Amino acid sequence: MRQLMEKTMSSATDTASDTYHYEHSGITIRKLSEHVGVEIEGVDLASPLQAHVIRDIKDAWERHGVAVFRNQELPPVAHRDFSAHFGPLVGHVLSRFNMSECPEVTLISNVVNDKGEKIGADRAGMLWHSDMSFVKRPSMGSLLYCVECPPVGADTQFASMYAAYEALDSEDQKHLATLRAIHDYPWHYRTYLKHRTQLTPEEEAKTPPVAHPVVRTHSSTGQQALYVGEGLTRTIEGMEESEGRKLVIELSDFATQPQFVYAHKWRPGDLVFWDNRSTMHRATEFDDRYRRLMRRTTILGDEPFYRAA
Ligand SMILES: [Fe+2]
């Protein structure tokens, strides 16, 4: 492990500055904020990519939590194929918005078809969350591609849960590491997605509430991250419901202070790849006169765990 870390570090030069470079693959990394987010330049994601390029992208993504690629031409199949380099893909737990010709790709959209139905999940993820945290093995990473977006609004904001954890005092770090939180999708749907057709009893049965550690150890970097977001985390296991909810909101608010956040302003052709183990995110509001059409893939992750450093 130690050798691997040293080897990885030596392949990326000048990591302390805002821009650095991986020599072998030729990709350039430009930091987008203090704690989270980089733009990766010098790669065409629709072309076949060699193993060392994928390795460098993965390295930069895990270090910085969010990787932005601009000006990409990425049809659904190419989006799926690029995503699959990082692990097995899962469609959304609700299959209604998965593309029929490429079911690993989910549509997020306010566009309406000729039957008057939305073609994708609309107003998805407006509260802080980590994707699919409500299942036993949540998403490790998500890749969102912009086809069309409003000229203002509909940003995606990302918070570094590493930075949030590090900003806690050591007593709080120790205490929080003993807790588990309840992540609950049916509750989320009933509470925050009233505008949508509600889950069927069969869909609810597929997503019972699950408990995950409040402090999560990253499976690659070994760093600790808070793993609580107000959108999908309902309460804390073993606490009275409202008291637990209060703590969830407090932690979510703490973790998403402006100094821990990068806000991405979308342009058509952007692909943003985020690490759900170390970041939370949310979408911002926008005017429905404008069309929004995004495509998303999701990489299956491991069961979250906490391991003391
Ligand atoms: Fe999300």
Side-chain angles (χ1 to χ4, degrees), residues 97 106-110 118-124 196 292:
F97 299 127
T106 302
L107 291 180
I108 294 174
S109 186
N110 64 343
K118 297 263 168 83
I119 62 167
D122 184 28
R123 297 299 193 275
R196 286 206 207 155
R292 183 176 192 237

Side-chain angles (χ1 to χ4, degrees), residues 2-305:
R2 187 171 178 171
Q3 262 181 345
L4 184 68
M5 288 296 287
E6 282 168 2
K7 198 171 154 208
T8 307
M9 290 299 285
S10 70
S11 68
T13 53
D14 198 15
T15 54
S17 75
D18 283 350
T19 302
Y20 65 97
H21 189 68
Y22 285 85
E23 278 170 29
H24 197 113
S25 60
I27 62 173
T28 297
I29 310 296
R30 198 166 54 79
K31 282 179 76 174
L32 296 169
S33 80
E34 163 126 31
H35 294 292
V36 61
V38 288
E39 181 172 346
I40 299 188
E41 295 167 340
V43 61
D44 171 8
L45 301 179
S47 66
L49 296 174
Q50 290 184 282
H52 65 275
V53 179
I54 297 296
R55 189 198 60 211
D56 289 351
I57 290 173
K58 185 167 186 282
D59 183 60
W61 166 66
E62 287 183 333
R63 269 193 219 187
H64 301 287
V66 177
V68 173
F69 304 84
R70 298 275 195 187
N71 304 313
Q72 300 293 322
E73 186 60 50
L74 210 57
V77 169
H79 182 165
R80 177 197 68 194
D81 291 349
F82 173 65
S83 309
H85 286 296
F86 303 94
L89 303 183
V90 279
H92 195 272
V93 64
L94 307 180
S95 54
R96 59 176 90 153
F97 299 127
N98 295 339
M99 292 183 82
S100 51
E101 67 276 31
C102 192
E104 298 87 350
V105 177
T106 302
L107 291 180
I108 294 174
S109 186
N110 64 343
V111 175
V112 173
N113 66 16
D114 46 18
K115 290 185 209 145
E117 298 156 344
K118 297 263 168 83
I119 62 167
D122 184 28
R123 297 299 193 275
M126 310 291 288
L127 294 168
W128 289 102
H129 66 284
S130 173
D131 286 335
M132 292 175 72
S133 71
F134 51 83
V135 296
K136 209 163 180 280
R137 290 181 62 185
S139 163
M140 174 170 78
S142 305
L143 299 97
L144 189 60
Y145 179 68
C146 176
V147 182
E148 288 180 81
C149 56
V152 285
D155 301 341
T156 306
Q157 300 173 330
F158 296 94
S160 169
M161 303 307 276
Y162 287 154
Y165 173 81
E166 279 155 26
L168 292 164
D169 70 43
S170 63
E171 285 308 305
D172 285 340
Q173 288 177 341
K174 272 188 221 147
H175 172 61
L176 292 170
T178 66
L179 301 180
R180 289 165 69 79
I182 307 290
H183 299 249
D184 187 338
Y185 196 48
W187 160 82
H188 170 80
Y189 230 91
R190 284 194 299 270
T191 312
Y192 298 117
L193 298 177
K194 291 180 181 148
H195 59 283
R196 286 206 207 155
T197 307
Q198 289 298 293
L199 297 180
T200 62
E202 292 74 30
E203 285 172 334
E204 285 218 4
K206 272 194 218 165
T207 54
V210 294
H212 292 306
V214 164
V215 179
R216 178 177 188 177
T217 306
H218 194 284
S219 50
S220 290
T221 66
Q223 283 178 261
Q224 314 292 14
L226 273 182
Y227 193 58
V228 171
E230 72 166 308
L232 292 171
T233 317
R234 194 189 79 214
T235 187
I236 304 291
E237 192 174 61
M239 283 177 80
E240 194 273 318
E241 183 77 19
S242 62
E243 281 304 300
R245 182 72 190 147
K246 216 170 112 193
L247 179 54
V248 166
I249 303 279
E250 205 179 304
L251 291 173
S252 188
D253 287 350
F254 176 81
T256 55
Q257 297 173 81
Q259 67 267 32
F260 304 137
V261 171
Y262 163 66
H264 185 71
K265 296 211 165 292
W266 290 93
R267 299 199 298 238
D270 286 354
L271 186 278
V272 178
F273 179 18
W274 63 87
D275 188 335
N276 282 307
R277 297 164 293 182
S278 62
T279 65
M280 296 266 169
H281 61 279
R282 70 172 177 184
T284 66
E285 260 305 337
F286 63 99
D287 188 327
D288 244 337
R289 282 177 303 172
Y290 302 111
R291 286 162 60 99
R292 183 176 192 237
L293 178 56
M294 315 286 284
R295 301 189 197 119
R296 190 182 86 174
T297 50
T298 300
I299 304 166
L300 178 66
D302 296 327
E303 201 173 329
F305 62 90

